[in-house]
């Protein structure tokens, strides 16, 4: 076998990947339309399209070093990315609920473990204001091995969670070759055994984010309400060096209501800096009046725009309260699922689901049973 059996190693869920972070799409200028139109960011390069593809019924039958530069794909088919290969004539669909689709012997999976080899070429030009490049896979089932220009990037098996690689030192100006090996089963399949159709492949978007040399790596926002005052707390984690951040908060009418800058926190925890913004008489968010503020993080050569709704949820006497009012949850289960495309979901599909859910007076969603596409959570505002 041309790869190590990482897919049956309980000690490894990912290799060579970046640490998990909040989902956001940066840009060089302020853009307020990136929730639904992230392709409009000049720091976002989408790699979706028709990729070269070859299916093997057993990963042990794969002997070609398909990820090497110059490898001939003459006998390869093409497959759209994102998609699942069962919808394109390869393998077969599986559905079980309470039983595993293979003999239970963790961490081992069947010896006859189907796999797919993916290859695509793309053009790249480095931006001097954003020289760092990060390759993102938003969903690959069940695990992936990735190579760029013949160099190994790493491995990941958390199928419905974003996998991010730092490719700064491996991507080149001009043509690049990305190769990905996807396996149908891995030891993570024991934890991802839910009542759904088992499908395989690169089923969510693949893209590159271009970032400044030093930038905000992660941030986390919370609020506290007391009387007619609200405090917005934003915690930050940076790359190697701290960068200045001008934080601005605007109301729904576009008026700036607060500003600030992060300061160092006491050592400990993931985040190193924080900012506290005070807002008088905030308009509170609730499901029927979802009032949103716009949060702008201005950094050198990069701006991140987010949205925020002030609200407070707490439990008292076995009741859940929202902004001081007792609330009952009327929830619905939701998979990223379509009868034609399987787990491949478009923005239009997400909006159609949300419209239907709201029309039937639901006010809560259970994302069964894995994380939905990250864009979906931004739409639930």
């Amino acid at each position: 076998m041309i790869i190590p059996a990482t897919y049956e190693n309980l000690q490894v869920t990912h290799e060579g990947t970046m640490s998990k972070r909040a989902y956001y799409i940066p840009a060089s200028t302020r853009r307020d339309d990136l929730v639904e139109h992230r392709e409009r960011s000049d720091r976002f390069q989408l790699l979706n399209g028709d990729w070269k593809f070859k299916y093997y019924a057993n990963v042990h039958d794969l002997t070609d070093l398909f990820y090497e530069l110059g490898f001939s794909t003459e006998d390869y088919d093409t497959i759209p990315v994102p998609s699942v290969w069962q919808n394109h004539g390869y393998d077969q669909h599986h559905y079980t609920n309470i039983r595993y689709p293979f003999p239970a012997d963790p961490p081992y999976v069947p010896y006859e473990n189907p796999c797919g080899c993916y290859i695509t070429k793309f053009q790249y030009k480095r931006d001097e204001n954003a020289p760092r490049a990060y390759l993102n896979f938003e969903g690959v089932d069940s695990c992936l091995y990735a190579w760029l220009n013949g160099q190994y990037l790493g491995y990941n098996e958390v199928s419905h969670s974003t996998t991010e690689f730092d490719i700064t030192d491996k991507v080149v100006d001009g043509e690049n070759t990305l190769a990905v090996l996807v396996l149908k089963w891995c030891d993570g399949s024991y934890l991802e055994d839910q009542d759904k159709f088992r499908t395989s492949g690169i089923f969510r978007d693949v893209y590159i984010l271009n970032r400044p040399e030093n930038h905000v790596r992660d941030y986390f926002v919370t609020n506290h309400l007391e009387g007619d005052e609200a405090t917005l707390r934003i915690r930050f984690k940076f790359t190697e060096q701290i960068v200045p951040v001008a934080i601005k908060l605007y109301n729904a009418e576009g008026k700036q209501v607060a500003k600030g800058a992060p300061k160092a926190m006491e050592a400990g925890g993931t985040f190193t800096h924080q900012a506290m913004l005070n807002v008088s008489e905030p308009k509170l968010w609730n499901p029927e009046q979802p009032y949103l503020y716009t949060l702008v993080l201005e950094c050198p050569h990069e701006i991140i725009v987010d949205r925020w709704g002030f609200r407070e949820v707490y439990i008292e006497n076995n009741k859940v309260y929202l902004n001081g009012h007792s609330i009952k949850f009327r929830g619905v289960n939701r998979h990223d699922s379509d009868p034609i495309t399987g787990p491949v979901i478009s923005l239009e599909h997400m909006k159609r689901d949300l419209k239907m859910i709201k029309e039937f007076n639901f006010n809560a969603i259970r994302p069964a049973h894995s994380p939905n596409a990250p864009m979906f959570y931004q739409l639930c505002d």
Side-chain angles (χ1 to χ4, degrees):
M1 193 164 58
I2 67 169
I3 55 166
T6 316
Y7 62 92
E8 291 181 326
N9 185 344
L10 288 176
Q11 308 307 313
V12 181
T13 57
H14 49 268
E15 183 177 74
T17 60
M18 300 296 295
S19 59
K20 299 298 181 182
R21 60 169 176 83
Y23 168 75
Y24 55 84
I25 301 296
S28 65
T29 58
R30 175 177 169 177
R31 297 204 63 99
D32 292 4
D33 57 352
L34 298 183
V35 170
E36 297 186 19
H37 300 286
R38 58 187 185 179
E39 73 282 354
R40 295 178 183 174
S41 168
D42 57 341
R43 298 292 171 76
F44 177 92
Q45 181 176 349
L46 190 64
L47 301 184
N48 291 0
D50 289 334
W51 292 28
K52 292 292 185 179
F53 177 77
K54 189 167 186 178
Y55 170 79
Y56 292 85
N58 189 344
V59 66
H60 294 272
D61 295 336
L62 172 60
T63 57
D64 294 330
L65 303 180
F66 74 101
Y67 51 80
E68 291 187 340
L69 281 177
F71 177 80
S72 174
T73 57
E74 189 174 339
D75 63 340
Y76 271 47
D77 301 325
T78 60
I79 196 169
V81 170
S83 71
V84 289
W85 67 57
Q86 286 86 357
N87 285 9
H88 292 271
Y90 309 98
D91 195 14
Q92 59 186 351
H93 290 83
H94 286 83
Y95 178 86
T96 61
N97 186 355
I98 59 174
R99 298 182 62 181
Y100 283 117
F102 48 75
D105 185 22
Y108 304 109
V109 295
Y111 179 84
E112 294 185 0
N113 189 1
C115 70
C117 299
Y118 293 78
I119 301 175
T120 189
K121 297 181 184 295
F122 64 91
Q123 295 292 319
Y124 182 82
K125 182 173 176 57
R126 198 176 303 273
D127 183 341
E128 63 179 11
N129 292 322
R132 301 206 68 84
Y134 296 91
L135 174 65
N136 285 259
F137 296 86
E138 288 196 339
V140 181
D141 200 335
S142 70
C143 66
L144 70 89
Y145 297 78
W147 297 261
L148 181 62
N149 296 326
Q151 301 179 71
Y152 181 60
L153 294 177
Y155 169 86
N156 187 70
E157 64 180 32
V158 186
S159 67
H160 285 67
S161 181
T162 298
T163 305
E164 187 170 43
F165 296 104
D166 185 346
I167 61 171
T168 305
D169 297 333
K170 296 180 177 65
V171 70
V172 299
D173 280 358
E175 185 177 82
N176 292 262
T177 302
L178 174 62
V180 182
L181 176 65
V182 179
L183 274 63
K184 182 172 183 176
W185 307 119
C186 70
D187 53 17
S189 301
Y190 284 96
L191 295 178
E192 297 184 347
D193 181 68
Q194 296 104 14
D195 52 329
K196 65 170 187 174
F197 280 101
R198 270 67 173 184
T199 53
S200 314
I202 304 174
F203 67 92
R204 287 182 183 155
D205 290 346
V206 183
Y207 54 85
I208 294 172
L209 291 181
N210 296 310
R211 312 289 305 275
E213 184 65 35
N214 293 293
H215 52 267
V216 170
R217 172 65 195 163
D218 195 8
Y219 66 94
F220 186 53
V221 188
T222 56
N223 68 229
H224 175 69
L225 305 179
E226 189 166 344
D228 292 333
E229 299 291 322
T231 301
L232 194 67
R233 182 189 186 196
I234 309 132
R235 283 172 279 179
F236 292 90
K237 176 183 178 182
F238 298 94
T239 49
E240 288 89 356
Q241 296 181 20
I242 300 161
V243 297
V245 183
I247 307 168
K248 299 176 182 179
L249 185 69
Y250 299 85
N251 63 19
E253 291 71 43
K255 179 183 177 182
Q256 183 175 313
V257 295
K259 63 179 181 179
K263 297 180 180 179
M265 297 169 55
E266 293 184 6
T270 301
F271 300 99
T272 60
H273 291 68
Q274 71 174 3
M276 310 290 279
L277 275 61
N278 296 318
V279 178
S280 297
E281 299 182 346
K283 292 188 178 180
L284 302 185
W285 181 100
N286 67 63
E288 299 306 321
Q289 296 175 312
Y291 189 95
L292 293 175
Y293 290 77
T294 299
L295 178 65
V296 180
L297 309 177
E298 296 182 358
C299 312
H301 305 299
E302 181 175 270
I303 296 179
I304 299 170
V305 178
D306 209 338
R307 301 190 287 193
W308 185 258
F310 283 101
R311 73 272 186 250
E312 190 168 63
V313 180
Y314 60 91
I315 297 174
E316 188 174 279
N317 298 324
N318 294 322
K319 291 183 179 181
V320 180
Y321 288 83
L322 171 66
N323 300 336
H325 299 281
S326 176
I327 186 172
K328 289 183 171 59
F329 291 101
R330 295 177 294 277
V332 61
N333 289 336
R334 181 187 180 274
H335 275 293
D336 271 348
S337 181
D338 183 277
I340 304 300
T341 60
V344 183
I345 301 301
S346 66
L347 172 65
E348 290 71 25
H349 183 115
M350 297 179 200
K351 293 172 73 172
R352 187 171 69 247
D353 278 0
L354 286 170
K355 184 174 184 291
M356 181 171 57
I357 288 169
K358 194 70 173 174
E359 285 176 343
F360 281 88
N361 294 317
F362 291 104
N363 65 359
I365 298 169
R366 174 177 177 249
H369 293 276
S370 305
N372 288 190
M375 192 185 302
F376 181 75
Y377 298 92
Q378 289 192 314
L379 297 174
C380 296
D381 56 18

